[in-house]
Amino acid sequence: MRPDLLRELPYKKPWIFVDRIISCIPSQQISTLKNITSSDFFLRGHFPSYSVFPGMLLLEGIKQSCELLVKLSGYEPEPEFLQAAQLQIRLLKPSLPGDTVVYSVKWTAEEDGRMLFSAEGKIEGVPSVRCTFRLAADAVRHSGRKEGTR
């Protein structure tokens, strides 16, 4: 993977929740990781005596991984694409300083003008978050950079 791929995200630190792309099969799946450190801005005050990485930020890491998958599949998402049309999420295990979360996002289908994804975040092989969601496919245009299989 090219080291500059994370620059394709339209965010700046500290709002980037993907540290590295592990693997990607365009139009199918992507694996990324996020290292949770005690210096993460978001841990300060999130349970002062027991620092836990916020669940919504785990979801944001999944969304950013999804955005990278869509971009690496040759599409350019519009801002409204990034809003989940339907979301089901389950937080299974706290994410603590020192943990590394590995996100696996699968592009499962397209139907009714929506792109469907399923995702899981694991810490040391144990699921910490699972979700399924739909994003607006009509808010995506093909960039012509790569040919996706969809």
Side-chain angles (χ1 to χ4, degrees):
M1 290 280 126
R2 294 185 348 234
D4 63 331
L5 286 176
L6 294 179
R7 283 188 244 156
E8 297 212 20
L9 292 171
Y11 317 105
K12 303 282 184 228
K13 286 282 186 184
W15 302 108
I16 296 176
F17 298 103
V18 173
D19 292 327
R20 188 172 76 212
I21 298 171
I22 299 169
S23 66
C24 181
I25 301 171
S27 299
Q28 293 181 30
Q29 63 186 18
I30 191 167
S31 294
T32 62
L33 70 78
K34 166 67 177 145
N35 294 309
I36 298 173
T37 66
S38 58
S39 64
D40 280 335
F41 169 77
F42 309 99
L43 291 174
R44 291 185 220 149
H46 197 254
F47 307 121
S49 62
Y50 180 69
S51 295
V52 176
F53 196 75
M56 289 308 296
L57 298 183
L58 292 172
L59 180 61
E60 180 65 22
I62 288 172
K63 182 186 74 85
Q64 290 179 12
S65 299
C66 176
E67 186 175 350
L68 286 166
L69 174 59
V70 170
K71 285 180 173 260
L72 290 169
S73 298
Y75 296 89
E76 288 297 325
E78 300 292 336
E80 58 270 18
F81 169 78
L82 303 175
Q83 299 174 11
Q86 180 180 3
L87 171 68
Q88 295 177 0
I89 183 169
R90 181 149 180 155
L91 298 170
L92 304 166
K93 177 182 184 219
S95 302
L96 308 172
D99 286 343
T100 297
V101 181
V102 176
Y103 297 119
S104 297
V105 176
K106 294 182 181 175
W107 189 338
T108 57
E110 286 184 42
E111 63 182 44
D112 299 329
R114 304 270 185 232
M115 294 176 172
L116 285 77
F117 298 89
S118 63
E120 184 173 62
K122 290 184 177 181
I123 300 169
E124 295 181 4
V126 177
S128 63
V129 60
R130 285 191 184 125
C131 68
T132 58
F133 53 97
R134 297 176 184 219
L135 299 174
D138 56 351
V140 177
R141 66 182 190 287
H142 197 274
S143 67
R145 291 186 309 174
K146 292 184 179 183
E147 289 300 317
T149 59
R150 298 201 182 273

